[in-house]
Amino acid sequence: MTREKRGIEMVDIIHRVGVKGAALDDVYQAVATVDGLAGWWTVDTTGSADVGGVLEFRFPEGGFDMVVLESEPGRSVLWEVVDGPPEWIGTTVRWELKQEGDYVIVLFAHEGWRERVEFMSHCSTKWATFLMSLKQLVETGAGAPAPHDVRISDWH
Amino acid sequence: MTREKRGIEMVDIIHRVGVKGAALDDVYQAVATVDGLAGWWTVDTTGSADVGGVLEFRFPEGGFDMVVLESEPGRSVLWEVVDGPPEWIGTTVRWELKQEGDYVIVLFAHEGWRERVEFMSHCSTKWATFLMSLKQLVETGAGAPAPHDVRISDWH
């Protein structure tokens, strides 16, 4: 969806982390496979990470279903949210990877929010802590996926 | 500045954290005083946190000067960036505080970016880790201000 089509009110969450001493494929495996995702986002990850498949992420508080729209080894992954909190449905989650020196850079974007609600602020911070969990998983072998995730507030 | 005046291309960084077992004034002191800010953002914080004053934040990699536009005890703080990286100049940083049960909720917004550049993604993640530092400072007495801050990538 282009920004023009989306209109003025749509807003995005964006982040950038660098995974030290990693290969592009290590980070790709962490965002493009069920086992990888279970290692840093939520241990209760099931479904198919193939293009056209549906990934089911479950947390103590609820969950999300994502259709995998794109998955290019070592480069990018794109999901569309098809079930979950109403604010999330129809939004997309984009992962772009690139090598910069000793780091694999992860450019993350959760795009297409219809309005800038308080829940979006919560999700922005929560994504950041999960991206740090992804970084730790690849760098050290152990992330902090739910239900062992970092608590940031009363909304968990 | 209203969103209408800002136009379609301006974009924001937003976050939400909750500080457990804190009073509104504890969190206000952490964002509205030089000593508070030095405890979670950068130890090298100087200047005046009064309305109309200029706060000078210095990091190993550079720094920011902010004019304090608003400061309402226990409620909100608003800064405008007057010196620093070109992408930051003219942007504003807004803090809103509220009590929810046992938590003080911090709603953070770094508003008015002119375009969604990679540096903005970096700053979004970096703000999240600094907000966790602010939370830790108030909850435990010790934050992780620069130069002791959490490293997130090659850009620090």
Side-chain angles (χ1 to χ4, degrees), chain A residues 45-89:
Chain A
T45 299
T46 55
S48 164
D50 298 336
V51 173
V54 176
L55 285 163
E56 288 141 22
F57 302 100
R58 293 294 175 270
F59 299 80
E61 307 84 18
F64 314 106
D65 289 359
M66 315 276 202
V67 172
V68 180
L69 297 182
E70 298 172 20
S71 190
E72 289 189 50
R75 289 195 54 186
S76 64
V77 168
L78 179 65
W79 302 324
E80 181 176 343
V81 182
V82 291
D83 203 0
E87 298 91 339
W88 278 51
I89 293 175

Side-chain angles (χ1 to χ4, degrees), chain B residues 20 49 54 76 86 95 100 121 137-138:
Chain B
K20 195 172 183 180
V54 176
S76 64
W95 301 89
E100 271 187 17
S121 298
L137 172 68
V138 180

Side-chain angles (χ1 to χ4, degrees), chain A residues 3-4 6-19 94 98 100 103 105 107-109 111 116-122 124-126 128-129 131-132 135 150-155, chain B residues 3-4 6-19 94 98 100 103 105 107-109 111 116-122 124-126 128-129 131-132 135 150-155:
Chain A
R3 181 165 287 270
E4 217 169 308
R6 287 164 45 199
I8 188 169
E9 283 307 324
M10 285 198 166
V11 278
D12 308 329
I13 292 168
I14 56 173
H15 288 295
R16 179 189 191 275
V17 295
V19 184
R94 180 186 306 275
K98 61 179 176 176
E100 273 188 17
Y103 284 83
I105 303 303
L107 291 172
F108 169 90
E111 299 173 305
R116 207 185 92 175
V117 290
E118 190 170 336
F119 180 52
M120 184 179 171
S121 298
H122 165 76
S124 177
T125 314
K126 198 75 194 178
T129 62
L131 286 163
M132 293 303 286
K135 173 177 162 69
V150 176
R151 181 155 192 160
I152 66 167
S153 75
D154 55 335
W155 289 356
Chain B
R3 182 164 287 269
E4 215 168 306
R6 288 165 41 200
I8 188 169
E9 283 307 324
M10 284 197 165
V11 279
D12 307 330
I13 292 167
I14 56 174
H15 288 295
R16 180 189 190 275
V17 295
V19 183
R94 180 186 306 276
K98 61 179 176 176
E100 271 187 17
Y103 285 83
I105 304 302
L107 291 172
F108 169 91
E111 300 174 305
R116 208 186 93 174
V117 290
E118 189 170 337
F119 180 51
M120 184 179 172
S121 298
H122 167 75
S124 177
T125 315
K126 197 76 194 178
T129 62
L131 286 163
M132 294 302 286
K135 173 177 162 69
V150 176
R151 181 156 192 158
I152 66 168
S153 75
D154 55 335
W155 288 356

Side-chain angles (χ1 to χ4, degrees), chain B residues 42-54:
Chain B
T42 176
V43 295
D44 189 354
T45 299
T46 55
S48 164
D50 297 336
V51 173
V54 176

